[in-house]
């Protein structure tokens, strides 16, 4: 069955392939924004929702968090804006403050090159007068929680007269939190002539009743279910500052000494920067991403398969479908943009019944995303403490010793013994020869002297958002309390 989505209309099911953003009819501003973010192909839900929303259809999208549904509705919403109108044109309803902020940030990225457009996040817990001030200045897109939206409607500081699109995200969560009646009031107050899109992971009866009441002949789309579990993969994360990621990656490579590993970044520019940094430190690394010609990509992959390259730095799209055995570790240098990408990434290791390791770097504001991934993948990603330079070197040394013991026991070393005998005859001691070879082995594994300066670096964990595993404790708010005015201008 192809990798796509199921479009259900009555009994009809249509399977759709992924689309390339560069081949879609988008404005120049949107093309530049998408290229800046680094998106190349649509996810399954995007491949069906985006074209239908461009046609003006009402949408019911059944998709889990992390499948890319935010971009699926945000892109058509931004493209529908009339730049010469300062009034509210798009309203997005979200169940929580956290999701509201996340969605608003996605809109902000797409609005990067639209000079006269603004998005405002509205939610409880923030001083309302700031929101009122920004609304008076003119906002085209509002993302908010139902309670605060209704508060502004009662104050007449939020007018829906010129609203052309309403989007309801995570409708089943709205139901669980008791917001359905609020949504009915908001939809009832919106203009009849509008486009409506509703997204939900499940479709309980009250949600279906809501769609029948407020959506006009909607297209019903459901992402194709996939097996999400990945056996034999040990999953862990490190909480580290962004500027310390390269030092931590070097230390972990030294600690685990993998012969073959993949490091995933979200951006093509990040892939190039990280690859150059690893090469400068003496690592056998190369890059693969969408900007490379096919001949270059083939050469890199051949070298990786042949063991000429030990570290492959890649974007998600470039690495999709990689079929390479014996990948010992997958590093999520950047946390995936979509939850489903996490499954694709860690699925590169632990093949053919072997064990694998997936390591994710989390920088404060990524913690909320990590929790989403755990929920989506139905897994637990354990937190690991950052090893000291001495711990990493000791662990790496132990692994090299184990490899030497293996070769001493099981390998035919006759031709190498002959070389050593010749060196001993030339007055080199066996101990000195062994020590020299051990040093070379350590350097090739990233444990040698070329790392000496980096060993002195103090890698500091990111304290801006500590996750608590005790559900009885108050949830940390560090991800958000440093932010005050939720407005982006372009």
């Amino acid at each position: 069955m192809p990798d796509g989505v199921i479009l259900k209309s009555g009994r009809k099911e249509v399977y759709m392939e992924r689309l390339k953003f560069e081949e879609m009819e988008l404005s120049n501003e949107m093309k530049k924004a998408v290229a800046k973010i680094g998106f190349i192909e649509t996810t399954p839900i995007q491949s069906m929702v985006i074209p239908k929303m461009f046609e003006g259809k009402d949408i019911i999208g059944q998709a889990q968090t992390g499948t890319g549904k935010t971009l699926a509705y945000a892109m058509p919403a931004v493209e529908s804006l009339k730049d010469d109108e300062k009034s509210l044109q798009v309203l997005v309803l979200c169940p929580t403050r956290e999701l509201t902020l996340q969605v608003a940030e996605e809109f902000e990225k797409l609005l990067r090159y639209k000079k006269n457009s603004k998005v405002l996040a509205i939610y409880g817990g923030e001083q309302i007068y700031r929101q009122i001030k920004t609304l008076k200045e003119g906002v085209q897109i509002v993302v908010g929680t139902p309670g605060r939206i209704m508060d502004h409607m009662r104050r007449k500081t939020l007018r829906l007269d010129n609203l052309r699109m309403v989007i309801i995200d995570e409708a089943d969560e709205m139901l669980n939190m008791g917001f359905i009646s609020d949504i009915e009031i908001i939809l009832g107050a919106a203009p009849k002539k509008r486009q409506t899109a509703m997204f939900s992971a499940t479709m309980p009866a009250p949600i279906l009743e809501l769609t029948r009441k407020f959506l006009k002949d909607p297209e019903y789309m459901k992402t194709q279910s996939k097996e999400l579990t990945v056996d034999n993969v040990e999953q862990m994360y490190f909480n580290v500052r962004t500027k310390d990621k390269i030092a931590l990656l070097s230390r972990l490579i030294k600690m685990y000494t993998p012969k073959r590993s993949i490091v995933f970044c979200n951006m093509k520019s990040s892939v190039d920067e990280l690859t150059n940094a690893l090469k400068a430190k003496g690592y056998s690394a190369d890059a693969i991403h969408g900007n490379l010609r096919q001949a270059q990509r083939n050469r890199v992959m051949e070298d990786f398969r042949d063991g000429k390259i030990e570290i492959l730095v890649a974007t998600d799209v470039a690495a999709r479908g990689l079929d390479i055995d014996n990948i010992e570790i997958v590093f999520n240098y950047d946390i995936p943009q979509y939850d489903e990408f996490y499954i694709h990434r860690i699925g590169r290791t632990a093949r053919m019944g072997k064990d694998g390791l997936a390591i994710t770097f989390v920088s404060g504001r990524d913690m909320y995303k990590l929790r989403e991934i755990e929920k989506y993948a139905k897994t637990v990603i354990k937190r690991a403490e950052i090893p000291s330079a001495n711990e990493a070197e000791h662990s790496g040394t132990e692994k090299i010793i184990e490899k030497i013991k293996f070769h001493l026991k099981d390998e035919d070393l006759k031709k190498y013994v002959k070389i050593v005998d010749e060196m001993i005859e030339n007055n080199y001691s066996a101990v000195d020869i062994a020590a020299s070879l051990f040093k070379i082995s350590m350097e090739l594994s990233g444990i040698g002297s070329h790392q000496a300066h980096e060993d002195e670096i103090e890698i500091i964990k990111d304290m801006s958002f500590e996750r608590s595993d005790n559900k009885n404790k108050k949830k940390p708010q560090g991800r958000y309390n440093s932010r005050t005015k939720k407005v982006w201008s372009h």
Side-chain angles (χ1 to χ4, degrees):
M1 187 175 291
D3 185 14
V5 296
I6 303 174
L7 167 63
K8 292 188 176 181
S9 179
R11 297 181 179 180
K12 183 181 178 182
E13 294 186 356
V14 181
Y15 296 95
M16 301 297 296
E17 300 289 342
R18 295 175 187 265
L19 306 173
K20 290 187 180 296
F21 287 110
E22 63 182 16
E23 298 174 355
M24 299 172 68
E25 294 184 5
L26 304 173
S27 65
N28 291 332
E29 294 88 352
M30 181 61 71
K31 287 180 179 178
K32 289 169 64 178
V34 170
K36 181 72 174 178
I37 298 170
F39 292 145
I40 296 178
E41 285 185 343
T42 58
T43 64
I45 193 67
Q46 292 167 3
S47 67
M48 273 308 304
V49 169
I50 291 174
K52 290 298 180 181
M53 287 195 69
F54 277 144
E55 293 175 10
K57 299 281 188 180
D58 282 8
I59 299 294
I60 301 172
Q62 188 169 352
Q64 299 287 339
T65 298
T67 53
K69 58 183 172 61
T70 303
L71 185 67
Y73 62 70
M75 180 178 287
V78 170
E79 290 285 71
S80 73
L81 295 178
K82 293 183 178 180
D83 296 336
D84 56 344
E85 291 185 11
K86 286 191 174 183
S87 59
L88 178 63
Q89 300 174 51
V90 176
L91 176 63
V92 184
L93 299 176
C94 300
T96 64
R97 168 177 127 171
E98 291 83 0
L99 184 60
T100 296
L101 290 168
Q102 183 178 325
V103 170
E105 288 173 359
E106 289 298 309
F107 271 101
E108 185 266 338
K109 294 175 185 176
L110 297 179
L111 289 169
R112 186 188 302 270
Y113 299 103
K114 279 189 167 290
K115 303 297 182 182
N116 301 316
S117 300
K118 292 182 181 179
V119 56
L120 172 65
I122 289 180
Y123 52 87
E126 185 188 62
Q127 293 182 342
I128 197 169
Y129 76 87
R130 291 197 180 105
Q131 298 171 355
I132 294 174
K133 180 176 181 295
T134 305
L135 287 168
K136 287 182 178 179
E137 293 172 355
V139 172
Q140 288 78 19
I141 302 172
V142 165
V143 185
T145 52
R148 182 52 67 95
I149 293 293
M150 290 184 61
D151 192 357
H152 280 285
M153 289 170 62
R154 284 190 291 266
R155 294 169 180 262
K156 300 188 184 303
T157 52
L158 181 69
R159 305 188 66 88
L160 309 183
D161 307 63
N162 297 318
L163 194 63
R164 295 173 28 232
M165 185 181 294
V166 179
I167 299 158
I168 303 165
D169 203 349
E170 297 199 359
D172 50 355
E173 285 299 315
M174 298 275 203
L175 175 65
N176 295 336
M177 297 174 71
F179 288 147
I180 290 298
S181 59
D182 293 346
I183 292 173
E184 290 183 341
I185 292 172
I186 295 170
L187 290 176
K192 300 294 183 183
K193 191 177 180 180
R194 66 170 190 273
Q195 184 177 12
T196 309
M198 181 181 295
F199 295 85
S200 184
T202 59
M203 288 292 168
I207 299 299
L208 292 174
E209 179 60 31
L210 197 67
T211 64
R212 285 191 286 268
K213 186 175 181 180
F214 291 102
L215 275 67
K216 302 185 294 289
D217 191 24
E219 296 276 4
Y220 174 37
M221 301 165 194
K222 180 180 179 181
T223 51
Q224 192 172 328
S225 62
K226 294 181 179 180
E227 180 60 46
L228 298 181
T229 57
V230 180
D231 296 329
N232 304 325
V233 179
E234 182 183 359
Q235 302 172 61
M236 66 176 68
Y237 77 92
F238 290 91
N239 200 340
V240 61
R241 296 185 306 186
T242 300
K243 67 178 184 178
D244 289 334
K245 282 184 177 181
I246 180 63
L248 177 57
L249 179 62
S250 299
R251 190 168 293 179
L252 293 175
I253 292 172
K254 176 190 298 186
M255 181 173 178
Y256 290 103
T257 65
K259 293 302 294 180
R260 187 176 284 137
S261 61
I262 300 180
V263 184
F264 283 103
C265 300
N266 292 340
M267 306 282 290
K268 290 173 284 188
S269 58
S270 299
V271 167
D272 289 333
E273 291 170 5
L274 179 57
T275 302
N276 291 334
L278 290 172
K279 287 181 176 179
K281 292 176 178 293
Y283 292 108
S284 173
D286 213 335
I288 183 169
H289 55 65
N291 280 359
L292 297 179
R293 296 191 303 272
Q294 189 60 48
Q296 292 175 295
R297 294 172 65 170
N298 292 342
R299 191 266 306 165
V300 171
M301 294 311 303
E302 184 178 347
D303 288 348
F304 190 51
R305 288 189 180 93
D306 293 344
K308 297 176 183 177
I309 297 170
E310 294 184 352
I311 305 170
L312 182 67
V313 188
T315 57
D316 290 288
V317 171
R320 184 178 292 130
L322 286 180
D323 188 17
I324 300 174
D325 295 331
N326 301 319
I327 294 174
E328 298 173 41
I329 306 179
V330 168
F331 293 98
N332 293 308
Y333 192 82
D334 295 326
I335 200 161
Q337 292 168 320
Y338 298 132
D339 298 350
E340 68 171 28
F341 286 3
Y342 179 82
I343 302 299
H344 291 315
R345 290 180 179 187
I346 69 174
R348 301 308 98 201
T349 186
R351 294 194 165 196
M352 306 297 291
K354 296 181 180 179
D355 293 333
L357 177 61
I359 295 175
T360 301
F361 291 175
V362 177
S363 299
R365 294 176 62 185
D366 295 331
M367 187 60 71
Y368 179 71
K369 187 65 179 175
L370 185 77
R371 289 175 172 171
E372 280 188 351
I373 289 172
E374 288 183 315
K375 181 179 178 181
Y376 173 79
K378 298 179 176 63
T379 188
V380 175
I381 305 173
K382 298 178 181 178
R383 177 177 174 176
E385 292 299 324
I386 293 172
S388 68
N390 289 335
E391 289 172 337
E393 182 165 341
H394 176 74
S395 178
T397 301
E398 289 294 317
K399 285 182 171 57
I400 291 176
I401 291 173
E402 289 300 315
K403 290 178 182 178
I404 292 173
K405 289 179 178 179
F406 173 81
H407 287 294
L408 286 173
K409 180 180 179 181
D410 297 327
E411 295 292 319
D412 183 1
L413 303 175
K414 289 181 180 179
K415 68 176 182 178
Y416 302 106
V417 170
K418 182 179 179 180
I419 295 172
V420 173
D421 284 340
E422 291 175 354
M423 294 184 70
I424 292 174
E425 288 177 1
N426 289 314
N427 297 321
Y428 292 101
S429 73
V431 173
D432 287 343
I433 294 171
S436 179
L437 292 173
F438 195 87
K439 178 184 177 183
I440 292 172
S441 180
M442 290 181 68
E443 289 178 350
L444 291 174
S445 299
I447 311 176
S449 58
H450 71 282
Q451 295 288 331
H453 292 295
E454 192 223 55
D455 283 348
E456 302 304 320
I457 296 175
E458 180 185 6
I459 304 174
I460 302 176
K461 64 183 178 180
D462 193 318
M463 300 297 291
S464 62
F465 195 126
E466 286 293 334
R467 179 168 76 165
S468 172
D469 292 321
N470 187 344
K471 294 182 180 179
N472 295 323
K473 292 182 179 180
K474 184 179 179 180
K475 292 184 178 179
Q477 298 295 325
R479 184 204 185 291
Y480 310 108
N481 61 13
S482 63
R483 303 174 71 91
T484 54
K485 190 176 181 181
K486 293 298 162 190
V487 184
W488 293 273
S489 301
H490 304 271

